[in-house]
Amino acid sequence: MPTLVHLPTGKAVTVRAAADLFLGSLGNPNTVRNYGIAVGKTTERLGEGRPLASVEDAEIGEALELLWGRSAVNTWNARRGAVLSWTGWCSEHGYEGPMVPAWAKRLAVPDSETPARSKMAVDRLIARREVHLREKALWRMLYETSGRAEEILGVNIEDLDFAGRRCPVKAKGARTKARRRGQAREDYVLETVYWDAGTARLLPRLLKGRTRGPVFVTHRRPGPGKVVSSRDVCPDTGFARLSYGQARALLDEHTAVRGPGTGWDLHEYRHSSLTHLGEQGASLLMLMAKSRHKKPENVRRYFKPSPDAIAELTSLLAPGDSRR
């Protein structure tokens, strides 16, 4: 068995060395194997030869999102937990480095429910003066399209049909397995989402005459060491596409009331949108068309009528003259 050499506390350590030291400290082979998957892939994404101290918290969160953001909830929680243990171990042993950001939070298990916010709460948040125009436009578009956050963040200006108030998005397709390789593969299809007057008013103000590149961008150019695809950079300003992790952190910043990580989640706009449409009388078929779900049981999980809506519905059962 190889001898484990601990580096002196405070001495510079690379991402790979920190990962090896952490995994070497674990006694259970099963834990080593499971944690090794999460920590190993994360270090590859971050850059194994980098000094651990140069890695920022946001980079850890974005690595998790890129690697397992589309995975099942239990997979996300397991991989996040392993990386959280790694960064915590490094901190405890004196190796300066990043932590898992609060916005990359543990997800609710499938049996629990993502909340549907009231329409008043959605409108009030977007109307707040301290909220930047970019966030206002993104949140309004998420709500009015009932779209997934990664779909809306991936939209380019060239895709927008302002007259028709619609645009194509790259949507998740069927998840299949390649027979020979046994590897999971997710197919993607182009689907159309539609928005209404709120988004129509905000988008032109946000774009300020830009005619190409990502709709939602950061407020500064990417750093010299960050590799970004040309499709994810505005050719006119040089600003990079706003990432899911950045958008998630911004929403948490404006909605957290019990500390970082306790705010709203981007997916709540989709739940809220479909719930409000259902409360207004939209049929199951129309909700499926709006959400682009293929199975009725999937869209039913998004419909969470409020107590007030149920009370109003119940009032329809009252005697004919009692509602006069």
Side-chain angles (χ1 to χ4, degrees):
M1 183 174 181
T3 302
L4 181 64
V5 179
H6 287 278
L7 297 178
T9 300
K11 185 175 180 179
V13 61
T14 65
V15 171
R16 180 71 262 175
D20 290 341
L21 288 169
F22 167 67
L23 295 173
S25 71
L26 304 175
N28 189 311
N30 291 329
T31 303
V32 174
R33 182 170 58 253
N34 292 331
Y35 277 31
I37 295 172
V39 176
K41 288 184 177 296
T42 302
T43 57
E44 290 176 4
R45 174 67 62 175
L46 295 173
E48 296 179 330
R50 293 176 59 186
L52 182 65
S54 71
V55 180
E56 299 180 359
D57 293 0
E59 292 183 80
I60 291 284
E62 290 183 9
L64 288 169
E65 290 288 353
L66 288 169
L67 290 166
W68 299 291
R70 296 178 183 272
S71 300
V73 170
N74 289 337
T75 300
W76 162 268
N77 287 339
R79 301 295 187 249
R80 173 191 173 276
V83 173
L84 184 66
S85 295
W86 171 48
T87 57
W89 182 93
C90 290
S91 177
E92 290 174 5
H93 287 76
Y95 302 122
E96 183 182 354
M99 300 299 292
V100 174
W103 52 260
K105 54 191 175 184
R106 180 181 176 83
L107 298 181
V109 295
D111 289 340
S112 63
E113 295 186 349
T114 298
R117 305 291 175 174
S118 71
K119 190 174 187 305
M120 180 180 294
V122 171
D123 291 342
R124 282 181 173 177
L125 175 60
I126 296 174
R128 280 163 54 176
R129 296 183 64 180
E130 71 271 20
V131 175
H132 192 273
L133 176 61
R134 177 188 60 191
E135 281 76 77
K136 290 178 184 285
L138 173 60
W139 300 343
R140 179 59 66 184
M141 194 170 183
L142 286 172
Y143 179 69
E144 292 186 355
T145 61
S146 304
R148 300 176 180 89
E150 59 268 25
E151 295 173 346
I152 302 304
L153 289 168
V155 172
N156 276 14
I157 300 172
E158 302 94 311
D159 302 326
L160 301 175
D161 177 356
F162 288 98
R165 294 181 178 177
R166 68 188 72 181
C167 69
V169 295
K170 191 177 180 182
K172 292 192 297 184
R175 192 173 181 83
T176 59
K177 274 195 173 182
R179 291 184 178 179
R180 293 183 180 178
R181 297 188 303 274
Q183 298 174 338
R185 184 185 67 197
E186 198 161 32
D187 298 324
Y188 295 89
V189 294
L190 284 179
E191 296 179 343
T192 302
V193 296
Y194 300 80
W195 62 82
D196 200 54
T199 303
R201 285 194 299 268
L202 292 170
L203 279 181
R205 293 171 54 197
L206 173 68
L207 299 179
K208 295 180 180 178
R210 288 195 298 126
T211 59
R212 54 183 181 164
V215 173
F216 300 101
V217 295
T218 57
H219 291 158
R220 58 184 179 182
R221 294 179 175 86
K226 191 166 185 178
V227 179
V228 182
S229 167
S230 59
R231 185 183 185 279
D232 294 326
V233 176
C234 173
D236 299 322
T237 65
F239 297 153
R241 186 185 305 277
L242 191 69
S243 71
Y244 184 96
Q246 291 167 327
R248 192 175 181 180
L250 287 165
L251 178 59
D252 183 72
E253 178 184 328
H254 287 287
T255 56
V257 293
R258 297 185 305 278
T262 63
W264 296 14
D265 192 85
L266 292 168
H267 201 54
E268 292 178 25
Y269 283 106
R270 182 166 162 87
H271 279 259
S272 303
S273 171
L274 294 173
T275 292
H276 300 160
L277 289 172
E279 290 176 345
Q280 292 298 314
S283 67
L284 178 60
L285 289 176
M286 289 302 293
L287 290 177
M288 288 176 64
K290 179 68 174 174
S291 67
R292 294 164 287 120
H293 281 111
K294 303 302 184 291
K295 298 179 180 179
E297 57 267 27
N298 290 340
V299 75
R300 285 194 185 101
R301 293 190 319 222
Y302 285 76
F303 181 45
K304 304 180 181 70
S306 66
D308 289 342
I310 295 174
E312 184 176 349
L313 176 67
T314 305
S315 70
L316 298 176
L317 302 176
D321 58 352
S322 66
R323 299 179 64 218
R324 294 176 183 172

